[in-house]
Amino acid sequence: MQTASVVPMPIPGHIDPVPVPRALVPRSDGRIDLLGLSKMDLRMALETSQLDPKQAKLRAKQLWHWIYNRGVTEFSKMTDISKTMQPWLEQRFVISRPDVVEAQVSTDGTRKWLLRSDDGQDYEMVFIPDADRGTLCVSSQVGCTLNCRFCHTGTMRLVRNLTPGEIVGQVMLARDALGEWPSQPDGRMLTNIVMMGMGEPLYNFDSVRDGLKIIMDGDGIALSKRRITLSTSGVVPMMARAGAEIGVNLAVSLHAVTKEVRDEIVPLNRKYGIEELLQACADYPGANNARRITFEYVMLKDKNDSDNDARELVRLLRHYDLPAKVNLIPFNPWPGAPYECSEPGRIKAFSKIIFESGISAPTRTPRGRDIDAACGQLKTASEKKSRAELDKLAEEKQAALG
């Protein structure tokens, strides 16, 4: 008796060669938000509102310039659009910004914003200024579906994915605050973007991809893909798509070199193990010595910081022939955290072993700790739970991972 062969399940998000406009969902006030729409969707929004196709094509080009090159949010300030057309646009559309619930500035100059969406959801973004660059840490989800044990954001429930407009809106708001309009390639304060805020970007792939494409578009913000880094905890099936469809730099939250430890602190490892993850890194499109993959490694006292851990990290990177840089991150404490930060001398010894093998391993200087803006500290103050609730949430998330 013959048995039917089982067809493997396709990776979510099958690539359709025919572009399909995104469904336009009105805001609570009935207007369509133009922020975050692709060029095609922007034109379709105008056509759907009964604008002649030829007219819609022209107006879409003008609107794109005003929104992403000039940073304008009011139709009345778009001087090349007729005064009779401006009220028509105002009635039907809006160019939004996230509502700012709270803005904080650290003693080291780091800025953190608590933002609120049109449907009342809170999320955070952080701007980190340095002498030679300014980096915006962008969120991709409200909450997080993972439960990395050292990460404060991981103690939150996943509420929902952010839309392309909400992802782009963080960049727009930061540029508003920094006075960086009109857009220009030189003299920017905001020079880099890292998708390292709240959430796992590859579990919100379509919105992250579509938002970053707008940010990289040469007719608007025009930030180079070499200036953008996407960080993942290791959603292996989506990594190749990220390289092919977005093409930005890759950072991987590794944090451990053994199955036992990584299973504990990054539970996603139970689904996609270290070897599978590192092979996906080796296959990542565009990775080379000029565009190295960054491996994030949080330093946890007596957990993952021994000399043997450092040597095993070197062995793994060499085994998979990875063009790699290791970022050592001193653990940033938060109330109820189950770990402590490694001692400075231990971090230095760990770094030395990796450096002596020929792999760069700088120690990241903690920024914004006094306003809970440092790596692993992002969590909206609106959500506070007891230790028992956090443990129950951890069990639920781990059960969901299988």
Side-chain angles (χ1 to χ4, degrees):
M1 179 179 177
Q2 288 186 327
T3 56
S5 61
V6 178
V7 179
M9 183 177 292
I11 294 174
H14 173 69
I15 303 171
D16 188 342
V18 180
V20 179
R22 182 181 296 274
L24 302 177
V25 181
R27 290 160 39 105
S28 56
D29 61 8
R31 295 185 291 174
I32 296 293
D33 192 349
L34 298 182
L35 189 70
L37 299 185
S38 68
K39 287 179 174 178
M40 180 179 66
D41 287 339
L42 179 54
R43 187 172 74 248
M44 290 300 297
L46 297 173
E47 288 190 28
T48 303
S49 297
Q50 309 306 312
L51 200 62
D52 173 81
K54 188 175 181 180
Q55 186 78 246
K57 183 177 180 181
L58 170 64
R59 296 304 181 198
K61 186 176 181 179
Q62 292 172 317
L63 286 167
W64 188 274
H65 173 80
W66 284 107
I67 294 170
Y68 297 113
N69 191 279
R70 312 286 296 188
V72 169
T73 59
E74 299 174 38
F75 297 107
S76 61
K77 293 183 179 179
M78 300 180 179
T79 55
D80 60 353
I81 294 178
S82 68
K83 290 188 177 180
T84 55
M85 173 64 71
Q86 290 171 0
W88 183 89
L89 291 167
E90 186 72 34
Q91 290 171 9
R92 293 164 175 78
F93 306 107
V94 65
I95 303 163
S96 73
R97 291 292 189 271
D99 288 335
V100 179
V101 178
E102 184 178 19
Q104 296 174 277
V105 181
S106 169
T107 54
D108 62 24
T110 298
R111 302 188 190 191
K112 183 174 79 168
W113 291 265
L114 174 61
L115 308 175
R116 183 162 293 161
S117 65
D118 185 54
D119 64 348
Q121 301 298 338
D122 291 350
Y123 52 102
E124 294 179 329
M125 72 175 191
V126 175
F127 178 69
I128 306 167
D130 284 303
D132 60 343
R133 67 175 60 192
T135 302
L136 186 68
C137 184
V138 174
S139 291
S140 58
Q141 296 178 311
V142 180
C144 187
T145 191
L146 303 178
N147 187 51
C148 299
R149 298 289 289 177
F150 58 87
C151 180
H152 205 192
T153 314
T155 66
M156 296 179 65
R157 291 186 184 278
L158 176 66
V159 179
R160 68 168 173 83
N161 288 331
L162 294 180
T163 67
E166 289 164 340
I167 291 169
V168 176
Q170 295 172 65
V171 180
M172 305 295 278
L173 183 64
R175 296 193 72 181
D176 291 347
L178 296 170
E180 298 211 315
W181 302 111
S183 184
Q184 53 191 13
D186 301 317
R188 291 178 172 177
M189 292 179 65
L190 198 170
T191 62
N192 293 67
I193 289 173
V194 292
M195 296 300 304
M196 295 183 185
M198 295 169 62
E200 165 55 64
L202 294 187
Y203 276 147
N204 186 19
F205 180 83
D206 287 353
S207 290
V208 168
R209 175 198 60 204
D210 295 349
L212 289 180
K213 282 188 174 181
I214 291 172
I215 292 165
M216 294 186 287
D217 189 280
D219 294 331
I221 299 172
L223 195 64
S224 167
K225 66 182 181 181
R226 295 180 180 275
R227 295 278 188 172
I228 300 173
T229 299
L230 183 150
S231 177
T232 178
S233 291
V235 186
V236 169
M238 303 304 294
M239 289 170 63
R241 283 192 65 192
E245 298 180 38
I246 308 175
V248 296
N249 301 318
L250 180 68
V252 174
S253 296
L254 189 61
H255 307 309
V257 293
T258 66
K259 172 176 171 52
E260 179 186 12
V261 176
R262 197 164 192 267
D263 278 356
E264 175 189 336
I265 66 177
V266 186
L268 185 64
N269 194 71
R270 300 176 186 181
K271 191 168 186 179
Y272 307 114
I274 293 176
E275 292 79 10
E276 190 178 359
L277 172 59
L278 294 180
Q279 185 59 57
C281 291
D283 296 337
Y284 187 76
N288 53 49
N289 286 329
R291 297 187 67 194
R292 292 173 295 172
I293 295 173
T294 299
F295 290 91
E296 310 284 354
Y297 199 97
V298 66
M299 300 299 295
L300 304 174
K301 184 177 180 180
D302 299 328
K303 178 60 64 173
N304 64 355
D305 61 352
S306 70
D307 287 354
N308 285 339
D309 288 321
R311 295 188 188 100
E312 177 62 9
L313 177 55
V314 170
R315 188 195 69 79
L316 286 169
L317 297 179
R318 283 179 171 169
H319 177 75
Y320 288 92
D321 194 25
L322 290 167
K325 170 187 175 182
V326 179
N327 263 355
L328 301 180
I329 306 169
F331 173 64
N332 296 303
W334 41 270
Y339 303 109
E340 296 179 42
C341 182
S342 303
E343 298 294 336
R346 180 88 298 272
I347 297 175
K348 187 176 180 180
F350 193 99
S351 175
K352 182 180 179 183
I353 291 171
I354 300 172
F355 264 119
E356 288 179 348
S357 75
I359 299 170
S360 177
T363 301
R364 182 185 295 174
T365 303
R367 300 290 299 273
R369 275 183 168 177
D370 56 322
I371 57 171
D372 288 337
C375 180
Q377 288 187 319
L378 293 189
K379 178 179 179 181
T380 57
S382 60
E383 183 174 319
K384 295 183 179 180
K385 294 185 176 71
S386 69
R387 185 70 255 171
E389 289 174 318
L390 294 178
D391 289 341
K392 182 180 179 182
L393 176 60
E395 290 174 5
E396 290 174 355
K397 288 185 176 182
Q398 290 176 12
L401 290 171

